[in-house]
Amino acid sequence: MSDTSLNSTEEVRGLIRAGRAAIRVGDYEAARTTFERAVALDPANQEAADGLRDAQRRLGIEGQRRTAEQVEYCYRHPDTETALHCTSCGRPICVRCSTPAAVGQLCPECRKGRRASNYQVSALDLLKGGIVGLVVSTVAAALISLIGGGFFLFLIIFTVGPVAAELIVRSVDWATRSKRGRPMQITVGVAMFLGGVLAFLFVPNPLAIGLFLLAGISAAVARLR
Ligand SMILES: [Zn+2]
Ligand SMILES: [Zn+2]
């Protein structure tokens, strides 16, 4: 054996050692190039050939794993990464867009589709909702005005207003079979305001009525969304 072939055998051994070290630390790309150089220097070397095959196989597995773990983005917010999917249509959705369902979560479009009948509001529904909302909120505002003063005014904002709003929403639900949506929100909001004005004609307590309208309308409108 000549000096050059001895040197190159030594170099191939070094490359094989380096390639195996690269495999151990998980750098399969580096392992492949290292084994490729070893195979190029000594095509007959079985260890170098085995090492190259091993590195190539591991790179393939790695690639497949990466594809499987591919990040997905909310279909409504292309910048938001997510692991959630709509249970109904299967599209990826982010936390902001998802609504908990009986099983899994729904995207806004599927949620709308599912509640569609509640959102099909007729003029008669609006009329019924408006009248019931007006009557109940007039009574509620008048009662609140009668009691309203001092510390009770604070209670109106935090307790009495929202409770009265809930009462009004339930009455409206009873009259309209739980219709929802923007037209219903506006109708009931206006009806409540008019109820407050009517109550003011009987019991002029502007502060109590004002607070009731502020707390009550916002709570009721939020419930009717
Ligand atoms: Zn969906
Ligand atoms: Zn989203």
Side-chain angles (χ1 to χ4, degrees):
M1 257 190 200
S2 71
D3 278 2
T4 41
S5 83
L6 250 177
N7 283 345
S8 85
T9 308
E10 203 51 50
E11 196 183 344
V12 168
R13 279 206 199 109
L15 286 169
I16 290 169
R17 269 199 302 276
R20 284 177 182 163
I23 293 230
R24 269 198 300 279
V25 298
D27 191 350
Y28 308 132
E29 202 68 57
R32 182 175 62 181
T33 36
T34 311
F35 282 123
E36 272 171 358
R37 268 165 62 205
V39 170
L41 281 172
D42 186 357
N45 189 308
Q46 197 56 46
E47 281 179 299
D50 287 347
L52 179 57
R53 251 200 313 279
D54 187 30
Q56 282 167 338
R57 187 178 56 84
R58 285 173 194 261
L59 274 174
I61 293 167
E62 181 83 339
Q64 278 167 13
R65 201 162 59 88
R66 243 181 242 153
T67 322
E69 280 176 3
Q70 206 170 34
V71 283
E72 288 187 298
Y73 297 90
C74 172
Y75 79 87
R76 307 177 76 237
H77 300 100
D79 295 333
T80 310
E81 278 187 27
T82 184
L84 294 176
H85 293 93
C86 170
T87 317
S88 180
C89 66
R91 286 181 291 182
I93 39 166
C94 70
V95 180
R96 264 186 297 166
C97 296
S98 74
T99 311
V103 179
Q105 56 275 322
L106 292 175
C107 73
E109 283 175 28
C110 292
R111 187 183 65 212
K112 248 185 213 159
R114 224 163 252 208
R115 281 161 69 186
S117 71
N118 277 15
Y119 285 89
Q120 284 157 13
V121 178
S122 67
L124 185 63
D125 288 325
L126 293 178
L127 187 67
K128 285 186 199 165
I131 291 172
V132 171
L134 178 69
V135 171
V136 181
S137 67
T138 305
V139 174
L143 284 176
I144 286 168
S145 306
L146 274 176
I147 315 165
F151 180 67
F152 185 73
L153 289 176
F154 290 97
L155 283 183
I156 293 177
I157 299 182
F158 298 110
T159 316
V160 182
V163 168
E166 182 65 30
L167 188 73
I168 291 164
V169 168
R170 290 201 185 173
S171 311
V172 170
D173 275 353
W174 164 79
T176 66
R177 281 165 295 118
S178 304
K179 296 296 183 187
R180 290 284 183 274
R182 183 61 50 89
M184 210 67 222
Q185 286 178 299
I186 294 169
T187 305
V188 173
V190 170
M192 285 177 74
F193 179 77
L194 292 178
V197 172
L198 268 180
F200 179 76
L201 297 178
F202 298 111
V203 194
N205 186 344
L207 195 56
I209 290 179
L211 289 175
F212 161 69
L213 291 181
L214 200 72
I217 291 181
S218 56
V221 165
R223 281 275 277 106
L224 290 167
R225 195 160 39 206

